[in-house]
Amino acid sequence: MNRPFPLHVPKIGMRNLKTAIAATLCALIYAPVNRNPTFACIGAVFAMNNSLQNSWVTGGNRLIGTVIGGFCGMFFFYLYQLFPPFFPNYPFLSESLFLFIGIIVMNLASQFFHANDAIPPGSVVFYIVMLNTPENEYISYALDRMFDTGFGVILSILVNVAMPREFFERHMSRRRLEEEIQVLEQERSAYDRSVEQKLTLLEELEAQKEREQQ
C-alpha cells in the first residue's frame, strides 16, 4: 500500500506579506482619483524582494525595462501607423512584423544599458503598448503605463524600507530563542518531577523493607 503524499502547509513569509501590503496600498491610493491600479500593482509585485538591497536591484531593473519598453512601444506603434500595411489583405501580418522587429530592438537597447534583467518587464510593457493602445492616444497611454509601473516599484521599495527583513529576522531569532528556552525549562521541570517521583518511590521501598525486617 502506497503511503499518502505528505501534506505541506505553506507559511506566510515576510516577502509574501510585504508584497500583499504594497499592492494593496497601490489600489487604495489609486481609488480616490478613480485611476486603474493594475500596472501599479504589477510593478509593486515585480519589485518586491526578500531584502531591501535586492528590492533596489529588482525595482531598478523593472523601472529601466518599463522605460525602454514604453518608448520602444511608442516608437514602433508610430511607425506602424505611419507606414501603409505591408500586407494589405492581412493587417495582422503587418502588425506582427513591427512586433518582431520592435522586440528585438527593445532587447538590444536593454543589453546596451547593461540591464539584461530589464528585458522581461520591458517586453511586457512593449506588448501592452503595441497591442492595447488606442490609436490616437499611444503617447499618453505609454507614459501612463510607465508612470503607474514606476509608482508601484517605488511604493514597493518604500514598504521594504519600512519593514526591513533584518528587523524581523532579529525579532524572530529572539522569539525562537525564547521558545527554545521555554521548552528546555519545561523539559527540566519534567525531569525534576521524574527524579522526585523516583526518589519518593525509593524512600517508600526502603521504608517498607525496614518494616519487613522488624
Side-chain angles (χ1 to χ4, degrees), residues 186-201:
Q186 292 175 351
E187 292 177 350
R188 180 179 178 182
S189 298
Y191 175 77
D192 292 341
R193 287 194 299 270
S194 176
V195 171
E196 290 177 359
Q197 291 175 355
K198 291 179 179 178
L199 289 174
T200 302
L201 180 60

Side-chain angles (χ1 to χ4, degrees), residues 69-81:
F71 279 110
C72 284
M74 281 192 288
F75 177 71
F76 280 93
F77 191 86
Y78 170 76
L79 293 180
Y80 173 68
Q81 288 186 314

Side-chain angles (χ1 to χ4, degrees), residues 5 63 79 118 120 140 154 161 164 172 175:
F5 186 79
L63 281 174
L79 293 180
S140 60
I154 293 173
V161 171
M172 294 303 294
R175 183 177 177 181

Side-chain angles (χ1 to χ4, degrees), residues 22-193:
T24 303
L25 284 176
C26 288
L28 291 174
I29 293 173
Y30 273 50
V33 297
N34 195 26
R35 186 181 180 93
N36 191 323
T38 300
F39 292 95
C41 293
I42 292 173
V45 171
F46 269 92
M48 184 58 67
N49 216 304
N50 55 359
S51 67
L52 180 58
Q53 182 179 1
N54 291 336
S55 189
W56 276 112
V57 174
T58 305
N61 287 330
R62 177 69 183 177
L63 281 174
I64 294 172
T66 299
V67 172
I68 295 175
F71 279 110
C72 284
M74 281 192 288
F75 177 71
F76 280 93
F77 191 86
Y78 170 76
L79 293 180
Y80 173 68
Q81 288 186 314
L82 182 64
F83 289 98
F86 292 98
F87 307 96
N89 297 328
Y90 304 96
F92 68 92
L93 291 179
S94 297
E95 184 181 44
S96 300
L97 179 62
F98 283 98
L99 289 173
F100 177 78
I101 299 174
I103 196 65
I104 292 177
V105 172
M106 197 281 302
N107 289 345
L108 292 175
S110 299
Q111 295 175 25
F112 176 80
F113 289 103
H114 304 286
N116 291 342
D117 292 337
I119 293 176
S123 301
V124 171
V125 176
F126 172 80
Y127 284 120
I128 288 173
V129 174
M130 287 291 295
L131 299 174
N132 293 283
T133 303
E135 292 185 2
N136 298 324
E137 301 176 5
Y138 68 95
I139 295 179
S140 60
Y141 184 86
L143 292 176
D144 284 343
R145 299 294 76 77
M146 287 188 281
F147 171 82
D148 292 338
T149 304
F151 181 85
V153 169
I154 293 173
L155 188 59
S156 183
I157 293 175
L158 292 177
V159 169
N160 230 344
V161 171
M163 303 173 65
R165 177 184 179 184
E166 292 76 12
F167 171 80
F168 289 98
E169 284 183 342
R170 288 196 299 268
H171 176 73
M172 294 303 294
S173 297
R174 181 177 178 180
R175 183 177 177 181
R176 283 195 297 268
L177 180 60
E178 291 175 350
E179 291 176 350
E180 290 176 359
I181 292 174
Q182 185 178 5
V183 170
L184 290 174
E185 290 178 348
Q186 292 175 351
E187 292 177 350
R188 180 179 178 182
S189 298
Y191 175 77
D192 292 341
R193 287 194 299 270

Side-chain angles (χ1 to χ4, degrees), residues 204-214:
E204 292 177 353
L205 291 173
E206 290 179 352
Q208 182 179 1
K209 185 176 180 181
E210 290 178 357
R211 286 194 300 269
E212 291 176 352
Q213 289 177 351
Q214 293 175 356

